């Protein structure tokens, strides 16, 4: 299957394996992850946040119940919400989710927003699990037609601020994990079908970090973020 399908399938598997029932998808785009999580009975609270109202409109459309869903009702109801907002800010309405997913988002963030990302997610929302994916620049040697970036650092997409090597991603993720008392491990998605078979050397096409909170107590309820009265609910709720 195409890489984006493999990516969302792996993320869904990781979330299930970590016993996540509520998932906050930061930078949810057109809702490609939310759409498949909605089909899994175990996910009962889902929310998507994106900065771009146009893609949120598509997410709302893509996540509508199908005729099949109306005929065969879920075992458990699902609470589903979309918000327009930035990953640079915590919104207190979204505290307490088991897990955060952020798929192919960090490479689109300007430096100030990227710097805020671990603080908002691991430090603010404090999910038990967070899954972050991003392109693996080491794998780019397999692409001969990259049109973006510079000659020595070609990139896959015009809107990417950077593409990290495995060493760069791991350095960023390990620093974030250490700062907020999380463990982090790494995996990947996507191998070559051309038969070149150099994954052992350059890794997989997409790199994935799995953060797990170290101080888990059974009845943990995420602490509210420090209050900044004018900005506690900065996201715009776009409806259920
Ligand atoms: N996660 C989705 C997926 O895997 O299909 C979308 C990935 S898309 C490549 C990156 C998304 O990040 C876009 O929808 C973009 O609008 C969103 N984004 C960029 N900056 C953001 C920010 N500061 N806050 C929230 N979302 C942001």
């Amino acid at each position: 299957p195409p890489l984006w399908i493999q990516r969302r399938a792996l993320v869904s598997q990781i979330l299930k394996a970590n016993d996540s029932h509520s998932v906050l998808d930061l930078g949810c785009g057109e809702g490609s992850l939310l759409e498949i999580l909605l089909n899994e009975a175990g996910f009962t609270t889902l929310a998507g946040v994106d900065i771009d109202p146009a893609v949120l409109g598509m997410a709302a459309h893509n996540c509508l119940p199908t005729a099949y869903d109306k005929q065969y009702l879920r075992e458990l109801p699902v609470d589903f919400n979309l918000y327009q907002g930035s990953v640079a800010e915590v919104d207190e309405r979204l505290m307490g989710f088991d897990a955060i997913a952020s798929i192919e988002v960090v490479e689109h963030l300007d430096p100030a927003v990227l710097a805020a990302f671990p603080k908002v997610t691991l430090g603010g929302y404090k999910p038990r699990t967070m899954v972050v994916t991003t392109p693996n620049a080491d794998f780019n040697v397999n692409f001969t037609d990259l049109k973006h970036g510079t000659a020595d650092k070609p990139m896959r997409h015009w809107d990417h601020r950077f593409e990290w090597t495995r060493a760069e991603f791991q350095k960023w993720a390990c620093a974030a994990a250490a700062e907020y008392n999380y463990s982090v491990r790494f995996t990947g998605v996507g191998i070559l079908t051309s038969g070149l078979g150099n994954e052992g050397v350059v890794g997989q096409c997409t790199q994935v970090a799995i953060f797990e909170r170290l101080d888990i107590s059974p009845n943990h309820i995420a602490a509210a973020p420090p209050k900044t009265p004018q900005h506690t609910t900065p996201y715009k709720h776009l409806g259920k």
Side-chain angles (χ1 to χ4, degrees):
L3 189 63
W4 67 274
I5 293 191
Q6 294 181 45
R7 216 159 30 216
R8 66 181 195 171
L10 176 72
V11 173
S12 163
Q13 267 171 30
I14 296 167
L15 296 173
K16 276 192 279 187
N18 277 17
D19 202 29
S20 309
H21 300 288
S22 51
V23 180
L24 179 57
D25 186 353
L26 292 182
C28 64
E30 297 170 18
S32 69
L33 176 69
L34 292 168
E35 217 182 312
I36 66 155
L37 299 184
L38 278 167
N39 286 321
E40 301 275 357
F43 296 110
T44 48
T45 307
L46 296 171
V49 178
D50 203 286
I51 203 160
D52 179 350
V55 298
L56 283 165
M58 290 186 253
H61 176 78
N62 293 337
C63 293
L64 281 176
T66 61
Y68 181 91
D69 295 328
K70 287 179 187 153
Q71 194 176 353
Y72 300 99
L73 293 181
R74 293 171 54 98
E75 267 169 59
L76 299 168
V78 59
D79 187 45
F80 179 84
N81 288 278
L82 291 174
Y83 294 84
Q84 187 199 349
S86 172
V87 298
E89 294 174 300
V90 170
D91 188 305
E92 68 180 19
R93 289 168 295 182
L94 295 174
M95 298 299 292
F97 278 72
D98 294 335
I100 287 180
S102 203
I103 315 289
E104 306 296 283
V105 174
V106 288
E107 69 276 9
H108 293 268
L109 303 178
D110 287 331
V113 181
L114 180 68
F117 185 86
K119 202 186 310 167
V120 166
T121 55
L122 305 181
Y125 290 124
K126 298 185 176 68
R128 264 199 340 253
T129 305
M130 177 164 83
V131 185
V132 173
T133 80
T134 194
N136 167 18
D138 294 324
F139 192 88
N140 286 351
V141 292
N142 290 309
F143 299 121
T144 50
D145 57 347
L146 295 179
K147 294 182 185 62
H148 312 287
T150 57
D152 60 330
K153 279 197 175 182
M155 293 201 285
R156 302 180 196 174
H157 192 273
W158 63 268
D159 192 44
H160 288 174
R161 308 301 193 267
F162 54 83
E163 287 176 3
W164 275 331
T165 62
R166 286 164 299 167
E168 288 167 334
F169 182 47
Q170 290 176 19
K171 189 172 167 210
W172 174 81
C174 289
E179 183 163 6
Y180 296 105
N181 201 23
Y182 278 74
S183 68
V184 62
R185 57 200 162 89
F186 299 92
T187 181
V189 183
I191 53 170
L192 287 179
T193 48
S194 64
L196 210 55
N198 60 359
E199 303 82 30
V201 183
V202 299
Q204 292 180 266
C205 191
T206 300
Q207 41 186 347
V208 181
I210 305 164
F211 297 87
E212 288 163 321
R213 209 178 61 226
L214 291 171
D215 67 333
I216 296 179
S217 59
N219 298 317
H220 178 90
I221 294 170
K227 295 230 166 170
T228 43
Q230 64 279 44
H231 280 306
T232 48
T233 58
Y235 302 168
K236 181 175 173 201
H237 186 209
L238 299 179
K240 277 190 181 280

